[in-house]
Amino acid sequence: IDADERVIGGLPEAVREQLANPRIVGLTVKFRPATGFTFYREPRLFRRHEKIRFRGVIHETHLPDLYEVARKERRVIEHSELELHHLGYDGDISHKHPRNLPLLEARVRADPSHVYSWWHLGQTLAALERYDEAEAAWRQGLEVVRGHEGSPSVGCLPYLALLGHGLSHRGTFDPALWEEAMARYPDHPTLAWLAARHRIDGRQWHEAIPWLERLVATDLDEPVARQFATEERLFQDWAPSSLALCYFHLGRYEEAAELYRRLEAKRPSRELEIKRQLAERRARHIAKSPAAKSPAAKTSAAKTPAAKTPAGHADE
């Protein structure tokens, strides 16, 4: 455990029982990489063993040794309920970038196959506003992913970095790269969010809705949700507010109002109150309209954009 990590929660008695089993060489923990992110499984608890050592100058890893010992000695790695929270990415970390840059450059020179270091190198370069070099680093990591079979969870990082950077800094979306990423990681929530954002930017409200509804319906306790660390705000704020915006644009005012009510209950604000009230007024107006009582009107209401819309997360 590093100095910027904390053990929070878990079941100590259950862990002690697991450690009493000599066949278990390691245990995963619920690892939260930063405050406000969902957790994922990381094999961080392992037995003292002469052949298991951390290697590397930054992002040191023991995993190759752990997996090799497990394979050769026919031992197993199981899940535990311990929670480990990483605090090193919280707050302003700009002072770390000049320090990390030479370490990351040395790391990828020593181990060009280390995808996470290529991703972090790109993130560091982007934070220093060296965007072309950042993209080059992410693409190096992407080539490593493409050169290996399977889809380890860390392999999604170069895809997300390139797609996200394209949308936020260039205003472009690479559909071919997105499709390639989806083929490897069809359940990744951030890829679904990027697809929705791209469609919202193009005012393709109908096309964005399935992706947003999928995110809103996500159960963060389900195994699929635990494969990747994702900002909790994506599920709790960004996706529902963007879905409400789509509903509003399509004249589905009652559904928009319901989502705004849920959001307002969690984090009251004047903005959400106004959006909810506007959607409610539109819904009441349609309900009182004589034409709204006919079956044909219900169909047309879902196809007719509203004249005025509240600003939503996706417009900001």
Side-chain angles (χ1 to χ4, degrees):
I1 182 171
D2 288 338
D4 59 2
E5 295 174 338
R6 303 288 185 273
V7 176
I8 300 175
L11 303 172
E13 292 303 322
V15 172
R16 291 191 184 98
E17 185 176 336
Q18 288 175 303
L19 293 176
N21 182 349
R23 287 199 66 243
I24 297 176
V25 69
L27 295 170
T28 70
V29 301
K30 296 177 179 179
F31 187 76
R32 195 179 301 273
T35 300
F37 276 70
T38 60
F39 70 82
Y40 66 96
R41 287 287 180 180
E42 177 81 6
R44 289 294 297 273
L45 189 61
F46 55 95
R47 294 191 184 278
R48 181 180 298 175
H49 195 293
E50 62 180 6
K51 294 185 177 180
I52 301 177
R53 294 291 184 269
F54 279 89
R55 306 184 190 280
V57 294
I58 187 171
H59 299 312
E60 307 92 324
T61 181
H62 63 296
L63 295 182
D65 288 356
L66 176 60
Y67 293 145
E68 183 69 5
V69 168
R71 184 184 66 82
K72 286 186 175 180
E73 299 183 6
R74 298 183 178 181
R75 300 169 83 176
V76 297
I77 301 170
E78 292 190 350
H79 294 324
S80 79
E81 293 304 309
L82 286 177
E83 296 183 19
L84 188 61
H85 290 206
H86 179 240
L87 307 177
Y89 295 146
D90 291 5
D92 181 10
I93 60 171
S94 58
H95 62 285
K96 294 185 178 181
H97 301 319
R99 180 205 67 182
N100 288 342
L101 184 58
L103 296 175
L104 289 165
E105 290 173 333
R107 182 73 163 90
V108 296
R109 283 196 299 268
D111 184 5
S113 66
H114 199 249
V115 175
Y116 189 88
S117 290
W118 282 116
W119 169 81
H120 192 189
L121 176 59
Q123 297 294 106
T124 300
L125 289 165
L128 295 172
E129 299 184 352
R130 294 164 60 176
Y131 298 120
D132 290 343
E133 294 171 88
E135 288 192 22
W138 293 325
R139 292 195 181 279
Q140 287 286 344
L142 187 59
E143 289 306 311
V144 176
V145 176
R146 288 170 170 166
H148 290 79
E149 295 183 1
S151 301
S153 58
V154 70
C156 69
L157 294 176
Y159 289 105
L160 298 178
L162 287 165
L163 288 165
H165 182 75
L167 274 175
S168 60
H169 290 271
R170 299 186 184 278
T172 60
F173 183 76
D174 187 340
L177 184 63
W178 178 83
E179 288 177 5
E180 179 184 333
M182 283 296 292
R184 287 181 176 270
Y185 305 99
D187 296 318
H188 202 297
T190 305
L191 288 174
W193 169 244
L194 290 172
R197 281 299 307 270
H198 173 57
R199 285 154 177 80
I200 289 172
D201 289 344
R203 303 182 71 82
Q204 297 173 301
W205 315 115
H206 280 294
E207 291 79 359
I209 283 175
W211 298 105
L212 295 169
E213 288 180 334
R214 167 178 158 181
L215 292 170
V216 170
T218 298
D219 182 350
L220 297 186
D221 292 327
E222 286 299 309
V224 168
R226 295 201 300 263
Q227 291 179 12
F228 311 101
T230 308
E231 283 198 73
E232 293 175 338
R233 292 183 298 172
L234 190 155
F235 306 101
Q236 299 170 353
D237 187 357
W238 301 347
S241 61
S242 295
L243 181 57
L245 181 69
C246 290
Y247 284 158
F248 194 99
H249 270 286
L250 295 172
R252 297 166 62 173
Y253 301 120
E254 290 185 1
E255 293 165 282
E258 175 59 27
L259 281 171
Y260 286 133
R261 274 193 291 271
R262 294 179 192 175
L263 289 165
E264 190 180 3
K266 293 179 181 178
R267 54 172 186 90
S269 71
R270 181 59 177 160
E271 177 187 346
L272 287 171
E273 181 184 8
I274 292 172
K275 291 177 179 179
R276 172 183 55 77
Q277 290 174 345
L278 180 56
E280 289 172 341
R281 283 199 297 269
R282 292 290 180 86
R284 287 194 300 267
H285 176 74
I286 288 180
K288 292 178 181 179
S289 172
K293 299 178 181 179
S294 68
K298 294 179 180 179
T299 302
S300 63
K303 298 180 179 179
T304 305
K308 298 180 181 178
T309 61
H313 172 80
D315 286 348
E316 294 169 359

